[in-house]
């Protein structure tokens, strides 16, 4: 690809204290890509995501987003980066004291000059996109787990960011909602050119949406596969990768 | 981006109005950044509108769901003024967006906005709420009592490690603050009373006043207030957060009784250490009084201590300890109870914590008053 990378990670080493999770990661994410991060449990997928949105500081290495170096301490550049990204957290992270509508409206009222009636209408459209229209006045505690996830996606979408980070968006959703979510991701990607960085385990979802995946490996603390999942499924030289995509249990030795 | 939006016409919208036709043309990117201004300009169009609105969308290069608000606004304007709306040259991507957003569908009915109920309704809700609270409170106290009584028969069921941990958190960790505050309290009391008592040459009674007031009343009360603030709140927050994250549910389904697992260690630890804290508080307050007595009232250390000893009876000390133990039960029980009542999320935990401290302190003062009255008539 000749296009300039929208996110580039160089020499990223991450971990906590003495524990090193991943060493020397290098990869680029290009504009308009649906990029999926894979890996076994505990391999540091969510941690990598949190590094990419500036919540954790890398032990070494550099992350660049939209041409700007990610430095959470530099308020100006960090603000500019934050304006271009949206994040959906694993557990939803909806504000429990606010209704769904208020949760979605919060970033819109804060960062745009829309009038209140227009904000309400936009919130309705956002919720309609994730299939939650009519739940504006519900509190998060009144929703099921899957509904909370979808509401969290609506909130992440609120400002139509260029880059959306989704942490396990379809985990805990029924197959229909999960497929609808995939369709939503594909549509946003096609019509608005939104770049997606997704952490997920759902194989069907991976094969539907992912244009490129990277797989993290706990043992070698590095990326063991990078490419189109359809090709990796059969062609990967790494047995773990083939096992993962073909849903096979650990081989007996 | 141009910041002076009021004067420069939006490049995204151009308007051409004639008596029978309103010709609008949208161009470029219609998104969150450009929409507010377009909406404003549409609202400011001179009324009444002509019979036909023609909107040309062929120049739109990109439109997001926020831009779709413009279309909705146009439709609303047309409907309100009874004019026709014609959209020309809708690009494929815009049509796709509009299809996806199902703009033609009427808005789904939203559960009524949590309207404020009228006075009688609120009165009724509040009354039911209070009765409900009373019932849950009574059943909680009952459950805790049964749990504590069962501990008498099976003391090995108590989680000893937790109990010791809470003894440390409630007692040992509170030593510095209790010591400091009591010392200053004794100091102030002696200082203030000295001004009055000196006029009668009754300096020596400063010692009696500090000792009696602290041991009988202020020691237990001050300690209780500090414990309510430090530990009652912590109990509520801890149990409340456990409820929010389904940890309490996990305990129940694993076959543990939350009252035994969570509440009993906290209450027992508090009952054991709060009276000790109160004693410690008395000690520091007397030391504070002693400092004033020796430095400003020309009393000797011996005289001050002798006066203190002769003022206090062993009953006073026991009574103070007894009260402290009662306060400890109240604070720990209320803290745990408020934690149990948490529903929902973070905001609820905050409310429970506040309520645990306020209710705890209130109950402490209330029970203290009742005990004072009882003592007045039953004093041996």
């Amino acid at each position: 690809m000749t296009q300039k990378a929208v996110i580039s990670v160089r020499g990223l080493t991450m971990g906590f204290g003495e524990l090193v999770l991943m060493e020397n990661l290098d990869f680029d994410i290009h504009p308009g890509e649906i990029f999926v991060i894979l890996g076994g449990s505990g391999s540091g997928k969510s941690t990598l995501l949190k590094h990419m949105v500036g919540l954790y500081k890398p032990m070494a290495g550099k992350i660049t987003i939209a041409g700007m170096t990610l430095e959470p301490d530099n308020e100006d550049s960090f603000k500019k980066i934050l304006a271009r990204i949206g994040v959906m957290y694993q557990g939803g992270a909806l504000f429990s004291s606010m209704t769904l509508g208020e949760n979605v409206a919060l970033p819109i009222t804060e960062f745009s000059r829309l009038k209140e009636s227009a904000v309400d209408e936009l919130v309705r459209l956002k919720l309609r996109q994730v299939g939650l229209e009519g739940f504006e006045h519900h509190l998060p505690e009144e929703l099921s787990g899957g509904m909370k996830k979808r509401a969290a996606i609506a909130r992440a979408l609120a400002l139509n960011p260029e880059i959306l980070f989704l942490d396990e968006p379809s985990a805990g959703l029924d197959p229909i909602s999960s497929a609808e979510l995939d369709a939503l991701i594909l549509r946003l990607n096609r019509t608005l050119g939104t770049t997606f960085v997704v952490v997920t385990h759902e194989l069907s979802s991976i094969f539907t949406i992912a244009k490129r995946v990277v797989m993290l490996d706990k043992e070698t603390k590095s990326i063991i596969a990078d490419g189109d999942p359809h090709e990796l499924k059969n062609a990967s030289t790494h047995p773990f990768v083939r096992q993962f995509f073909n849903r096979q249990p650990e081989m007996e030795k | 981006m141009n910041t002076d939006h009021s004067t420069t016409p939006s490049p995204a919208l151009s308007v051409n109005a004639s008596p029978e036709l309103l010709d609008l043309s949208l161009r470029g990117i219609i998104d969150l950044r450009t929409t507010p201004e377009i909406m404003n300009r549409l609202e400011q169009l001179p009324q009444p509108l002509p019979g036909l609105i023609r909107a040309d969308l062929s120049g739109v290069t990109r439109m997001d769901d926020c831009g779709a608000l413009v279309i909705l606004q146009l439709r609303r304007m047309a409907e309100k003024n009874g004019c026709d709306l014609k959209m020309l040259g809708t690009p494929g991507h815009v049509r796709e967006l509009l299809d996806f957003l199902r703009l033609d569908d009427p808005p789904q009915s939203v559960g009524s906005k949590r309207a404020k109920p009228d006075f009688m309704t609120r009165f009724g809700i509040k009354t039911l709420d209070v009765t409900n609270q009373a019932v849950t409170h009574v059943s909680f106290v009952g459950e805790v009592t049964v749990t504590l009584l069962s501990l008498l028969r099976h003391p090995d069921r108590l989680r000893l490690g937790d109990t010791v941990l809470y003894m440390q958190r409630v007692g040992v960790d509170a030593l510095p603050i209790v010591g400091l505050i009591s010392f200053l309290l004794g100091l102030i009391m002696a200082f203030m009373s000295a001004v009055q008592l000196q006029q009668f040459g009754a300096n020596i009674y400063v010692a009696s006043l500090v000792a009696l007031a602290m041991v009988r009343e202020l020691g237990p009360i001050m300690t209780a207030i500090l414990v309510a603030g430090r530990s009652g709140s912590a109990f509520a927050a801890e149990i409340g957060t456990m409820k929010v994250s389904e940890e309490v549910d996990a305990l129940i389904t694993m076959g543990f009784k939350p009252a035994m697992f969570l509440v009993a260690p906290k209450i027992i630890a508090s009952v054991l250490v709060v009276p000790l804290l109160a004693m410690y508080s008395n000690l520091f307050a007397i030391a504070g009084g002693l400092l004033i007595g020796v430095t400003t009232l020309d009393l000797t250390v011996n005289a001050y201590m002798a006066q203190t000893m002769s003022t206090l009876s062993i009953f006073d000390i026991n009574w103070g300890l007894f009260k402290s133990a009662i306060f400890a039960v109240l604070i720990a029980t209320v803290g745990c109870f408020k934690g149990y009542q948490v529903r929902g999320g973070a905001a609820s935990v905050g409310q429970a914590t506040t309520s645990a401290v306020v209710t705890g302190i209130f109950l402490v003062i209330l029970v203290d008053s009742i005990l004072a009255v009882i003592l007045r008539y039953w004093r041996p």
Side-chain angles (χ1 to χ4, degrees):
Chain A
M1 231 178 265
T2 48
Q3 248 176 330
K4 212 165 169 276
V6 65
I7 300 178
S8 73
V9 174
R10 287 285 170 273
L12 176 71
T13 300
M14 59 186 203
F16 306 97
E18 296 286 289
L19 176 79
V20 176
L21 281 172
M22 283 288 144
E23 267 171 346
N24 218 0
L25 297 184
D26 277 310
F27 58 88
D28 284 329
I29 301 174
H30 300 282
E33 224 170 18
I34 298 182
F35 185 86
V36 174
I37 302 172
L38 302 174
S41 299
S43 57
K45 305 178 295 289
S46 293
T47 313
L48 175 58
L49 198 85
K50 290 203 167 157
H51 276 87
M52 288 161 79
V53 298
L55 286 174
Y56 293 163
K57 267 195 185 160
M59 293 171 119
K62 190 174 106 166
I63 298 170
T64 317
I65 293 182
M68 289 174 279
T69 311
L70 183 67
E71 293 168 306
D73 296 333
N74 181 340
E75 223 168 280
D76 285 339
S77 76
F78 193 46
K79 230 185 214 166
K80 277 184 201 146
I81 290 175
L82 289 182
R84 310 173 91 148
I85 65 174
V87 188
M88 187 221 112
Y89 294 92
Q90 227 172 53
L94 296 167
F95 302 119
S96 57
S97 55
M98 299 182 187
T99 63
L100 263 201
E102 288 167 342
N103 260 293
V104 179
L106 181 70
I108 304 178
T109 41
E110 195 61 33
F111 298 111
S112 84
R113 291 167 292 120
L114 281 179
K115 292 220 173 87
E116 208 185 311
S117 59
V119 171
D120 287 348
E121 202 141 35
L122 185 56
V123 166
R124 189 169 61 78
L125 289 180
K126 297 283 180 198
L127 289 176
R128 179 179 270 189
Q129 290 180 49
V130 295
L132 283 177
E133 199 187 2
F135 288 92
E136 276 93 330
H137 302 310
H138 282 64
L139 287 171
E141 61 185 275
E142 297 164 339
L143 302 179
S144 72
M147 287 159 93
K148 275 186 210 162
K149 277 225 153 123
R150 283 186 278 155
I153 292 173
R155 188 178 69 181
L157 283 174
L159 297 173
N160 284 328
E162 279 168 56
I163 309 164
L164 258 180
F165 292 89
L166 307 178
D167 197 354
E168 308 226 357
S170 43
L173 290 187
D174 63 275
I176 300 173
S177 310
S178 173
E180 278 170 0
L181 189 68
D182 290 346
L184 174 69
I185 291 173
L186 286 171
R187 191 196 65 83
L188 287 168
N189 176 255
R190 194 173 57 236
T191 55
L192 299 179
T194 311
T195 308
F196 281 86
V197 180
V198 187
V199 168
T200 185
H201 287 300
E202 306 280 310
L203 276 181
S204 54
S205 179
I206 294 166
F207 287 122
T208 318
I209 61 171
K211 290 172 190 162
R212 203 175 129 215
V213 301
V214 291
M215 188 174 291
L216 306 181
D217 181 51
K218 205 156 123 188
E219 310 280 290
T220 55
K221 297 181 178 169
S222 61
I223 295 176
I224 49 170
D226 182 343
D228 186 320
H230 297 274
E231 288 165 20
L232 290 176
K233 182 178 179 182
N234 299 316
S236 173
T237 50
H238 209 288
F240 179 78
V241 179
R242 287 201 308 274
Q243 231 177 309
F244 187 98
F245 284 116
N246 293 304
R247 235 173 146 255
Q248 283 160 349
E250 197 72 51
M251 310 274 188
E252 304 219 356
K253 282 171 190 161
Chain B
M1 220 174 103
N2 200 326
T3 47
D4 193 5
H5 291 283
S6 51
T7 51
T8 40
S10 151
L13 171 73
S14 62
V15 182
N16 202 345
S18 67
E20 59 279 353
L21 175 71
L22 179 65
D23 214 353
L24 302 170
S25 129
L26 288 166
R27 273 186 312 275
I29 299 170
I30 314 290
D31 67 0
L32 198 64
R33 238 170 274 178
T34 49
T35 303
E37 204 197 328
I38 298 174
M39 302 276 279
N40 276 344
R41 288 191 58 207
L42 286 178
E43 269 170 34
Q44 283 160 12
L45 288 174
Q47 305 275 347
L49 296 172
L52 179 65
I53 303 177
R54 205 164 62 188
D56 182 8
L57 300 178
S58 55
V60 174
T61 50
R62 189 183 127 109
M63 183 187 266
D64 65 9
D65 46 5
C66 187
L69 293 179
V70 175
I71 311 275
L72 281 175
Q73 169 85 354
L74 282 174
R75 288 188 183 175
R76 219 175 302 122
M77 280 164 54
E79 202 175 316
K80 210 172 96 196
N81 293 282
C83 42
D84 285 332
L85 172 67
K86 264 199 188 142
M87 294 212 271
L88 303 176
T90 316
H93 63 93
V94 173
R95 194 164 300 146
E96 194 187 1
L97 173 82
L98 300 185
D99 282 348
F100 178 78
L101 292 176
R102 304 192 307 275
L103 280 196
D104 300 318
D105 291 10
Q108 246 176 53
S109 70
V110 172
S112 65
K113 200 163 191 164
R114 288 163 194 271
K116 223 181 169 184
D118 60 37
F119 175 75
M120 283 313 282
T121 321
R122 268 181 294 156
F123 184 73
I125 290 173
K126 195 78 197 165
T127 312
L128 288 177
D129 198 42
V130 168
T131 10
N132 248 335
Q133 277 250 353
V135 171
T136 41
H137 206 154
V138 168
S139 64
F140 179 79
V141 170
E143 196 186 338
V144 170
T145 312
V146 170
T147 307
L148 292 178
L149 286 180
S150 79
L151 274 178
L152 287 181
R153 286 207 310 183
H154 311 279
D156 53 312
R157 284 197 195 154
L158 180 70
R159 292 179 56 84
L160 205 62
D162 281 2
T163 313
V164 173
L165 178 76
Y166 285 116
M167 283 171 75
Q168 187 206 330
R169 288 207 193 141
V170 176
V172 181
D173 294 354
L175 287 179
I177 186 71
V178 169
L180 178 69
I181 287 190
S182 304
F183 183 78
L184 292 176
L185 195 71
L187 202 101
I188 296 163
M189 239 192 316
F191 197 69
M192 298 306 291
S193 56
V195 178
Q196 303 298 324
L197 291 173
Q198 250 176 343
Q199 295 176 15
F200 306 101
N203 289 0
I204 190 68
Y205 288 107
V206 167
S208 304
L209 190 135
V210 171
L212 206 59
M214 279 312 290
V215 172
R216 284 273 291 276
E217 283 298 328
L218 290 176
I221 292 245
M222 281 308 297
T223 312
I225 290 176
L226 281 171
V227 170
R230 281 187 81 258
S231 305
S233 56
F235 294 165
E238 184 186 330
I239 296 183
T241 313
M242 288 182 77
K243 265 213 99 137
V244 171
S245 52
E246 296 181 328
E247 289 174 44
V248 173
D249 298 347
L251 280 178
I252 294 173
T253 48
M254 283 157 84
F256 292 106
K257 284 207 173 105
M260 177 66 84
F261 197 97
L262 296 173
V263 180
K266 295 186 174 70
I267 292 183
I268 289 173
S270 305
V271 170
L272 290 177
V273 296
V274 172
L276 296 179
L277 268 185
M279 284 307 289
Y280 179 81
S281 151
N282 294 338
L283 193 71
F284 270 77
I286 290 169
L290 180 69
L291 182 70
I292 292 293
V294 173
T295 52
T296 67
L297 296 175
D298 298 329
L299 296 173
T300 61
V301 175
N302 267 343
Y304 190 98
M305 286 318 293
Q307 180 66 21
T308 303
M309 304 275 258
S310 69
T311 310
L312 293 176
S313 68
I314 196 74
F315 176 82
D316 292 326
I317 293 169
N318 285 342
W319 183 250
L321 285 176
F322 168 71
K323 281 207 296 193
S324 287
I326 303 272
F327 296 162
V329 174
L330 290 174
I331 292 166
T333 316
V334 165
C336 296
F337 176 65
K338 293 293 173 186
Y340 258 93
Q341 291 210 304
V342 166
R343 296 273 180 289
S348 183
V349 176
Q351 280 170 3
T353 313
T354 310
S355 172
V357 176
V358 173
T359 319
I361 293 177
F362 167 72
L363 282 180
V364 163
I365 307 276
L366 183 75
V367 169
D368 188 52
S369 318
I370 295 172
L371 288 176
V373 174
I374 292 176
L375 187 65
R376 168 76 183 72
Y377 290 103
W378 282 0
R379 176 93 202 238

